Amino acid sequence: MASRVARPVTAFSEDPSTKDQKRIVDERHLSFIRSLPSIISGAGPCEACHVRYGDPVYRKKATGKAQKPDDAWTVPMTPEEHRAQHAMSEVQFWNMHRIDPLAAARDLYAHTGDREAAVRIIANARKAR
C-alpha cells in the first residue's frame, strides 16, 4: 500500500514569506537613504525608493500595487528617476540602467547610518554598469 506525504501548498514555493509576516518599517533607514546620492545619477536630493519586484536569490517577495515592500528594500533616487521607475516595467528600468537594486538595497540596509560605506555601495553599483 502506498503512503502519501502531506505537504503544505507552500512546500516548494520560492516565496520565503507568509501572509502573516509583518512588514519591516524603518523610518530611520528611510531617512538615511534620502540623505544619500542617487544610485542612478549620483545627484540629489533623493527619495527612498522601494524595489517592488521579487527575486528568490535575495529571498525578496514580490509586492503588488496595494502592498508596500519592506523598508529594507529601498535605494536612493531623485524624484525624476523615481517617476521614471514607476512609468515602465521595474525590471526593465533596472536592466536599462544595468544596476542590481536588490543587492544595493540589501547592502545599504546592512550599513544603515554608515554614510561612507553607503556612498561606496552606491558608487560600486553605478560603476558596475
Side-chain angles (χ1 to χ4, degrees):
M1 175 180 212
S3 63
R4 186 172 181 187
V5 176
R7 291 189 177 94
V9 294
T10 58
F12 298 104
S13 172
E14 292 181 341
D15 187 346
S17 64
T18 63
K19 289 188 191 249
D20 47 325
Q21 183 177 1
K22 296 273 189 247
R23 181 179 167 268
I24 295 172
V25 177
D26 191 339
E27 187 54 46
R28 186 177 78 96
H29 179 65
L30 295 180
S31 180
F32 177 66
I33 291 293
R34 290 183 200 106
S35 76
L36 299 171
S38 167
I39 194 166
I40 302 292
S41 64
C46 286
E47 297 176 348
C49 307
H50 290 82
V51 181
R52 291 187 171 281
Y53 74 89
D55 189 327
V57 170
Y58 296 100
R59 298 187 50 79
K60 158 82 171 68
K61 70 176 186 167
T63 51
K65 295 231 184 243
Q67 298 174 301
K68 197 168 208 176
D70 291 341
D71 288 345
W73 297 110
T74 55
V75 293
M77 287 194 285
T78 66
E80 297 78 20
E81 294 161 349
H82 194 187
R83 303 306 164 262
Q85 174 201 16
H86 288 299
M88 62 189 299
S89 158
E90 187 177 21
V91 173
Q92 287 177 339
F93 175 85
W94 290 112
N95 287 341
M96 179 178 74
H97 289 288
R98 296 191 316 257
I99 291 176
D100 182 346
L102 294 175
R106 176 201 58 206
D107 295 346
L108 289 168
Y109 194 67
H111 292 89
T112 296
D114 184 345
R115 185 171 178 79
E116 186 177 312
V119 169
R120 193 169 42 252
I121 291 163
I122 291 166
N124 287 339
R126 294 182 69 229
K127 193 184 325 179
R129 311 192 274 178

